[in-house]
Amino acid sequence: MSTIASLEYLRENMPHNIDMIEVILRGRSAILHIECEGVVLREETSGAYMITAENELSFNALVRYIDSPGIIATHESFYIDKLIERYNLRLEMTCRQAVWPKNKKPPEITGVENIQLLTEEHLEEVNRNYSVKVGKKYLEGRIAAGELYGAFIDNTLVGFIGLHEEGSIGILEVLKDYRRQGVAQDLIAHIINVQHAQGHIPYGQFSVENTASMALLEKTGFILSGEDELIYWLSNAKSTGAFYGD
């Protein structure tokens, strides 16, 4: 399928489609099919399918290319029930997207001086302190991929941030005793700088219920997708932990 045509279509609404755009640009996608009003692809690291379709006709043409999915990220709500019924899925999370403006200078780190890649020796501590129970296997994979960073004060791990398998910024946690001290902002600034240096457009996703993350990302300088421009993550109801790769 045409990469150029897919990108042209998706860039018509970059904040809403940044996940699919970056998966293509990072060379981690198989574009399965493109219609004049929709695209479906598979992210090769996680195996997640991503689909956007403007209408029923486009959806029917695109859904034929989804085969035995474990995870699907959908960009519209009108076909969620059809996907759930067709593939025995469940709705895991509803998100908005945040994208760093392409020509905007990355933010400076103002407080935490020591932010570094985490290693296997930090796995137990990260797994113990991360409030979202994604499973040790998932976190181990993020560390092995070199995509999980920790903030240290006096050699003590005080927080961490990373990239999910499909490339979005996440896995953000600051330990209780170090919150409201600018650690989260510095972690976000660090990973924005890393992504920018690698030629990527930094982006993240946050649950519509997570108003604290929304406020933090806006404060940092991210552009948010519209309130009605949502991403719906579905996973295979038969595969416990499939959403995070367990």
Side-chain angles (χ1 to χ4, degrees):
M1 298 296 105
S2 171
T3 298
I4 295 175
S6 297
L7 287 171
E8 286 179 351
Y9 173 80
L10 295 169
R11 281 172 172 155
E12 292 177 5
N13 188 344
M14 181 170 282
H16 192 205
N17 296 325
I18 187 61
D19 55 336
M20 298 178 76
I21 292 169
E22 275 299 293
V23 164
I24 294 171
L25 292 177
R26 298 181 194 199
R28 294 161 59 166
S29 72
I31 301 172
L32 303 177
H33 193 65
I34 177 171
E35 291 282 312
C36 60
E37 296 176 317
V39 177
V40 61
L41 59 80
R42 185 179 65 251
E43 198 281 321
E44 294 182 331
T45 302
S46 64
Y49 287 89
M50 298 178 173
I51 181 172
T52 179
E54 294 184 29
N55 52 54
E56 194 84 24
L57 186 64
S58 293
F59 170 73
N60 289 335
L62 295 167
V63 73
R64 295 179 295 135
Y65 294 88
I66 297 177
D67 181 28
S68 303
I71 308 170
I72 303 179
T74 73
H75 285 222
E76 291 80 24
S77 61
F78 71 86
Y79 52 81
I80 289 177
D81 289 342
K82 294 182 177 64
L83 289 173
I84 288 174
E85 181 178 357
R86 181 169 182 148
Y87 298 112
N88 191 24
L89 304 174
R90 60 177 174 234
L91 177 62
E92 296 282 359
M93 190 179 298
T94 302
C95 303
R96 287 174 68 186
Q97 305 216 81
V99 55
W100 188 257
K102 186 174 182 180
N103 297 317
K104 187 179 180 70
K105 182 181 177 181
E108 295 183 359
I109 298 172
T110 59
V112 181
E113 296 181 357
N114 186 6
I115 299 178
Q116 59 185 266
L117 277 172
L118 296 179
T119 64
E120 190 175 350
E121 67 180 278
H122 302 110
L123 175 60
E124 293 294 339
E125 191 172 5
V126 170
N127 186 51
R128 183 170 62 251
N129 286 290
Y130 190 31
S131 57
V132 181
K133 301 307 177 186
V134 300
K136 186 189 295 186
K137 182 180 177 182
Y138 185 81
L139 295 171
E140 184 178 26
R142 299 295 78 223
I143 290 174
E147 295 183 339
L148 195 59
Y149 301 84
F152 293 83
I153 297 177
D154 296 330
N155 295 318
T156 298
L157 179 66
V158 301
F160 46 87
I161 194 170
L163 299 179
H164 286 294
E165 288 178 328
E166 80 289 350
S168 66
I169 296 171
I171 321 177
L172 174 61
E173 190 77 38
V174 176
L175 277 63
K176 185 176 180 179
D177 291 344
Y178 297 91
R179 292 172 186 167
R180 301 186 182 278
Q181 299 177 37
V183 175
Q185 191 113 14
D186 280 346
L187 282 165
I188 293 172
H190 176 79
I191 204 162
I192 289 172
N193 276 272
V194 170
Q195 290 281 279
H196 191 268
Q198 294 173 347
H200 303 316
I201 299 175
Y203 78 98
Q205 298 179 345
F206 60 93
S207 168
V208 293
E209 300 173 354
N210 193 340
T211 55
S213 288
M214 179 180 70
L216 179 59
L217 291 168
E218 279 192 301
K219 180 181 178 181
T220 305
F222 282 88
I223 295 173
L224 307 186
S225 61
E227 293 184 4
D228 59 346
E229 296 175 333
L230 305 177
I231 306 299
Y232 306 89
W233 283 94
L234 312 175
S235 78
N236 191 316
K238 294 181 178 179
S239 302
T240 303
F243 186 54
Y244 292 107
D246 286 350

